[in-house]
């Protein structure tokens, strides 16, 4: 009899996650996580979905009830006992530091760009610069450093680095050779005494974004607010993207800096991840900005929005340079790990005409 009760209890526990899918709200992605969308048997364009069962399996694996609670418990167990991360996109470092696994090639100097591709990348950026300048706009290109490139001391010792050039080191001399207007944030951040990236996030802090803002505007030679000299308040309210991926139901927060700004959004964004945002600032000293950015622009764009009467902030790739007008300032910001995307999504400027 006791075996029947044990079997019944075991089966009941196994059914709880499946039953949870029927009664609990839809599971939301944590951090940079991408969940499998609900599959369909029929598609109007392609017809029957021959991979439906496999897609359904992936969907259930990402959406079963209490998934985030179980993932969090498993991560706490493995990081606590084994000092390793069960999340494939998160590297568990020392002293509570987390790193994005997709930056590992850059950290270990495993270049994914050949020399010819690095040169082609620089030529592509130069063609974008030439196009913008032909329309009477200023142009500036910058690369946001990976966290592990600036603060490698907390990376696990098992990840060995090669004495070789990574993508950034290969691209940099070609940018100089092509005459690209480039703002070197690597040197600026490495020269700063303070840590300006979050421990549990892949991005710079607001203080880091303020430093980047000041350097970009100084490089452009435009009037601006020097936010590194501005006062700020601090609050423990930041939930790191890597922490969310590892512990989706965790409650740990990091300290963040809060600066006072007065720009306005044309339409309130749903989040800082929106593909397109527009801002206005009547008292700004400069005209219009086109900021082509990735997730590092989440913290950067509020500072830049203070300096321009109008700002277009976009994550669109290829970059929408056809929007450039005379007198604009164009800033292209891309994180180190995404450098190959310049080639993958290079804009077609050959067929674009002068305004």
């Amino acid at each position: 009899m006791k075996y029947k009760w044990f079997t019944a209890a075991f089966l009941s526990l196994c059914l709880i996650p499946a039953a949870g899918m029927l009664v609990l709200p839809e599971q939301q992605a944590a951090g940079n996580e991408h969940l499998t969308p609900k599959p369909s048997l029929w598609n109007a364009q392609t017809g029957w979905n021959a991979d439906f069962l496999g897609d359904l399996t992936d969907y259930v694996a990402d959406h079963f009830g209490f998934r985030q609670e179980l993932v969090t418990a498993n991560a706490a167990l493995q990081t606590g006992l084994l000092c390793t991360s069960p999340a494939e996109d998160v590297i568990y470092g020392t002293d509570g530091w987390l790193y994005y696994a997709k930056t590992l090639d850059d950290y270990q100097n495993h270049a994914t760009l050949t020399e010819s591709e690095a040169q082609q990348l620089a030529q592509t950026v130069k063609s974008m610069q030439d196009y913008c300048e032909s329309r009477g706009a200023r142009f500036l290109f910058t690369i946001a450093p990976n966290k592990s490139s600036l603060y490698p001391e907390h990376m696990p010792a098992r990840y060995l680095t090669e004495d070789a050039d990574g993508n950034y080191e290969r691209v940099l001399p070609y940018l100089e050779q092509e005459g690209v207007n480039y703002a070197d944030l690597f040197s600026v951040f490495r020269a700063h005494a303070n840590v300006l990236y979050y421990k549990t996030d892949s991005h710079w802090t607001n203080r880091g974004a303020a430093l980047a803002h000041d350097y970009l505007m100084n490089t452009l030679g435009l009037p601006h607010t020097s936010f590194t000299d501005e006062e700020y308040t601090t609050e423990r309210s930041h939930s790191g993207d890597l922490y969310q991926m590892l512990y989706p139901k965790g409650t740990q927060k990091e300290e963040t800096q809060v600066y006072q700004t007065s720009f306005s959004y044309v339409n309130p964004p749903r989040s800082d991840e929106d593909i397109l945002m527009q801002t206005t600032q009547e008292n700004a000293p400069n005209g219009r900005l086109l900021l082509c950015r990735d997730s590092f622009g989440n913290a950067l764009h509020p500072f830049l929005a203070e300096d321009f009467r109008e700002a277009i902030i976009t994550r669109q790739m290829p970059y929408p340079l056809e929007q450039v007008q005379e007198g604009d300032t164009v800033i292209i910001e891309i994180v180190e790990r995404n450098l190959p995307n310049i080639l993958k999504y290079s804009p077609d400027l050959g067929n674009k005409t002068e305004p």
Side-chain angles (χ1 to χ4, degrees), residues 126-139 290 321 324-328 330 332 349:
K126 181 58 163 60
S127 70
M128 292 189 285
Q129 176 176 302
D130 291 345
Y131 176 80
C132 292
E133 291 179 345
S134 74
R135 292 188 157 219
R138 300 179 186 85
F139 180 91
L290 174 63
L321 299 183
V324 174
Q325 302 173 9
E326 185 173 357
D328 282 358
V330 180
I332 293 181
L349 304 177

Side-chain angles (χ1 to χ4, degrees), residues 36-40 49-61:
T36 304
K38 185 177 294 185
S40 175
N49 180 8
D51 298 320
F52 176 76
L53 291 179
D55 293 344
L56 181 62
T57 300
D58 293 339
Y59 174 78
V60 172

Side-chain angles (χ1 to χ4, degrees), residues 22-154:
L22 301 176
V23 298
L24 296 175
E26 182 81 7
Q27 293 283 326
Q28 300 298 314
N32 293 325
E33 184 182 42
H34 296 283
L35 300 181
T36 304
K38 185 177 294 185
S40 175
L41 269 174
W42 174 262
N43 184 286
Q45 281 75 39
T46 60
W48 291 104
N49 180 8
D51 298 320
F52 176 76
L53 291 179
D55 293 344
L56 181 62
T57 300
D58 293 339
Y59 174 78
V60 172
D62 282 351
H63 294 267
F64 63 82
F66 305 104
R67 173 181 176 272
Q68 292 187 346
E69 287 82 359
L70 293 172
V71 167
T72 300
N74 178 59
L77 187 65
Q78 292 203 38
T79 56
L81 294 180
L82 304 177
C83 296
T84 187
S85 165
E88 63 177 356
D89 284 340
V90 181
I91 295 172
Y92 188 77
T94 61
D95 298 328
W97 278 64
L98 304 177
Y99 295 89
Y100 198 21
K102 291 184 179 180
T103 65
L104 196 53
D105 280 336
D106 293 317
Y107 172 73
Q108 296 182 300
N109 295 322
H110 295 164
T112 58
L113 294 170
T114 64
E115 284 292 338
S116 61
E117 288 172 335
Q119 184 175 20
Q120 183 186 352
L121 190 153
Q123 291 170 345
T124 299
V125 177
K126 181 58 163 60
S127 70
M128 292 189 285
Q129 176 176 302
D130 291 345
Y131 176 80
C132 292
E133 291 179 345
S134 74
R135 292 188 157 219
R138 300 179 186 85
F139 180 91
L140 185 64
F141 178 68
T142 193
I143 302 170
N146 293 335
K147 179 178 171 179
S148 56
S149 295
L150 296 179
Y151 310 108
E153 58 270 21
H154 296 284

Side-chain angles (χ1 to χ4, degrees), residues 165-181:
D165 289 338
N167 285 341
Y168 168 72
E169 290 78 15
R170 285 191 173 182
V171 168
L172 185 59
Y174 291 116
L175 292 174
E176 297 173 351
Q177 177 180 304
E178 294 293 331
V180 171
N181 296 330

Side-chain angles (χ1 to χ4, degrees), residues 185-315:
L185 292 177
F186 283 74
S187 298
V188 173
F189 275 80
R190 284 170 175 161
H192 204 280
N194 297 319
V195 173
L196 298 173
Y197 278 51
Y198 293 106
K199 290 177 62 174
T200 64
D201 196 293
S202 56
H203 301 91
W204 49 37
T205 63
N206 286 343
R207 283 190 69 196
L211 176 66
H213 159 270
D214 289 2
Y215 185 69
L216 296 179
M217 294 301 292
N218 283 328
T219 303
L220 286 165
L222 294 175
H224 62 280
T225 300
S226 179
F227 278 101
T228 51
D229 298 324
E230 292 289 301
E231 294 184 354
Y232 58 84
T233 59
T234 58
E235 57 183 41
R236 190 166 293 276
S237 61
H238 183 80
S239 184
D241 60 349
L242 301 176
Y243 179 84
Q244 291 174 13
M245 293 169 65
L246 190 57
Y247 311 106
K249 282 296 182 179
T251 58
Q252 177 179 313
K253 304 288 185 182
E254 279 197 71
E255 190 174 84
T256 190
Q257 304 83 36
V258 181
Y259 291 81
Q260 293 299 314
T261 56
S262 57
F263 72 90
S264 300
Y265 289 102
V266 174
N267 294 302
R270 292 167 298 179
S271 76
D272 288 334
E273 300 288 342
D274 280 11
I275 296 295
L276 176 66
M277 294 183 285
Q278 291 180 268
T279 65
T280 59
Q281 171 55 285
E282 292 182 0
N283 300 319
N286 305 296
R288 197 174 83 136
L289 168 71
L290 174 63
L291 173 63
C292 300
R293 56 89 175 200
D294 52 26
S295 58
F296 275 73
N298 291 3
L300 176 63
H301 83 264
F303 298 110
L304 289 169
E306 283 292 288
D307 298 327
F308 293 88
R309 291 188 290 276
E310 179 184 358
I312 299 171
I313 301 146
T314 179
R315 292 183 64 126

